[in-house]
Amino acid sequence: MRAMQVTAYDEPLTLKELEMPMPGQGEVLIQVDTCGLNFGDLLIIKGTYQEKPPLPFTLGMEMAGTITALGAGVENLKVGQRVAAYTGFDGLAEYAAIPAAVCVPIPEEMSSVDAAAFLIAYGTSHVALDYKARLQPGERLLVLGASGGIGLTAVELGKLMGAEVIAVARGADKLAVCKEAGADHLINSETDDIRAIVKELGGADVVYDPVGGDQFKAAMRACNPEARLIPLGFASGEVPQIPANILLVKNLTALGFYWGGYAKIKPSVLTDSFAELIKWYVAGKLKPHVSNVIPLEQANEALALLRDRKATGKVVVEVAR
């Protein structure tokens, strides 16, 4: 089978021919159709992600495909079933042996491209806004990096949950995508004063931040009393230091959030979230935004779209030939 592997850190992926894996105890073998790319994949390539497997390894955090074989002890899935999965690695290969526990059956209505764009982006935003921040109808949600893979889902879900959504993104084209996803107010991070505009709109009750840096600082100073801040990534490259005195004076809450961590500490948080999200998808309430679909052998070009911030929403690699 073909696979795109990391053979050296901070270097382009290498297309390799590998032996097809076999499913072990509690695993299934997936014939991979599509793989969704994420900002975390860029960190993995650089060797700065929280998980660092031995070289060489196959990149790709999430995948969608069809089960072709079952390992011993797997009873809740069947051969021929279509699933999506968050695996952390192995998505950029034609086959993957993965734990049955991380597989999420997908409905007939969901395309393979949508399925590969679904779990991490929507799952991250839904758990952050619903489970962690307890976003309420009528509250004002400020989304930084709003045109990105997870940011755009935060805009969409925030609107669906009844919030007034302020989207911050770079440039008119990206803001237009945010508007289409449901944003009520748009802020251009290249030219606008985030703090001043948010305060003029009435202040933020919840801040969703995958960016960090100066944008986080501006957002924090535009928060209403008792607002909740969710730092969940640092695309700017700067991890903000949160002044405790501002938390104290304004009764703010900073919520640490690592979506993938719930797979180990409380997996029901993820499974409950997926069940709700898939219901919304089938009902036509969610529409994944995929800006680019790229073949496996061009995965390096696909990653460059993320690295250079030329994509909106998700970039999906088409693995099946």
Side-chain angles (χ1 to χ4, degrees):
M1 69 172 189
R2 299 181 306 157
M4 291 296 284
Q5 290 207 309
V6 178
T7 56
Y9 287 114
D10 225 6
E11 294 290 338
L13 303 182
T14 302
L15 183 62
K16 287 192 165 186
E17 289 283 343
L18 304 176
E19 293 261 341
M20 187 184 300
M22 297 298 294
Q25 176 78 27
E27 292 185 334
V28 296
L29 182 65
I30 303 290
Q31 183 173 8
V32 181
D33 291 325
T34 49
C35 174
L37 297 184
N38 295 274
F39 184 76
D41 290 313
L42 299 179
L43 301 180
I44 291 170
I45 291 170
K46 293 176 69 175
T48 58
Y49 195 64
Q50 51 259 42
E51 296 180 54
K52 195 171 180 179
L55 296 169
F57 61 88
T58 301
L59 196 71
M61 289 186 168
E62 63 183 327
M63 66 183 77
T66 303
I67 296 174
T68 59
L70 305 177
V74 177
E75 298 177 351
N76 60 324
L77 297 169
K78 59 185 180 181
V79 171
Q81 190 169 14
R82 296 174 66 234
V83 295
Y86 164 70
T87 59
F89 304 95
D90 295 331
L92 289 177
E94 291 178 321
Y95 289 86
I98 62 174
V102 303
C103 292
V104 178
I106 55 178
E108 290 182 8
E109 299 93 332
M110 184 176 282
S111 69
S112 293
V113 170
D114 279 1
F118 199 79
L119 294 188
I120 292 179
Y122 281 105
T124 297
S125 292
H126 185 244
V127 175
L129 297 177
D130 184 56
Y131 180 78
K132 292 291 286 188
R134 307 294 183 190
L135 179 68
Q136 299 299 308
E139 288 192 309
R140 197 169 292 111
L141 168 65
L142 175 61
V143 181
L144 307 180
S147 66
I150 60 172
L152 204 58
T153 61
V155 171
E156 190 178 1
L157 287 169
K159 192 64 179 175
L160 184 59
M161 295 166 71
E164 180 182 346
V165 181
I166 307 170
V168 180
R170 181 182 297 181
D173 290 346
K174 291 185 176 181
L175 286 172
V177 174
C178 298
K179 182 69 174 177
E180 189 177 343
D184 298 289
H185 310 284
L186 306 173
I187 297 177
N188 188 335
S189 60
E190 289 184 320
T191 58
D192 294 339
D193 185 330
I194 295 172
R195 179 184 179 185
I197 294 174
V198 174
K199 289 186 68 115
E200 186 178 336
L201 290 170
D205 299 306
V206 175
V207 175
Y208 179 101
D209 178 26
V211 177
D214 290 339
Q215 289 192 34
F216 177 89
K217 297 170 189 174
M220 185 176 189
R221 285 163 173 77
C223 279
N224 291 327
E226 295 196 318
R228 290 88 75 201
L229 301 104
I230 317 168
L232 42 81
F234 313 107
S236 67
E238 179 185 342
V239 178
Q241 302 305 299
I242 302 175
N245 62 315
I246 296 180
L247 295 180
L248 182 153
V249 171
K250 299 182 78 171
N251 284 298
L252 304 180
T253 302
L255 298 165
F257 178 62
Y258 168 40
W259 177 79
Y262 281 102
K264 294 180 180 178
I265 63 173
K266 202 172 182 181
S268 63
V269 170
L270 301 187
T271 54
D272 291 348
S273 173
F274 291 149
E276 184 73 10
L277 290 168
I278 288 174
K279 283 181 187 176
W280 284 346
Y281 178 93
V282 172
K285 295 179 179 180
L286 298 177
K287 297 178 181 178
H289 180 89
V290 178
S291 62
N292 303 86
V293 180
I294 304 213
L296 179 65
E297 59 271 16
Q298 295 176 28
N300 285 308
E301 289 88 334
L303 289 162
L305 292 171
L306 292 185
R307 189 179 297 109
D308 299 336
R309 301 184 184 181
K310 292 182 178 178
T312 55
K314 293 284 285 192
V315 175
V316 171
V317 173
E318 203 164 41
V319 178
R321 289 191 260 197

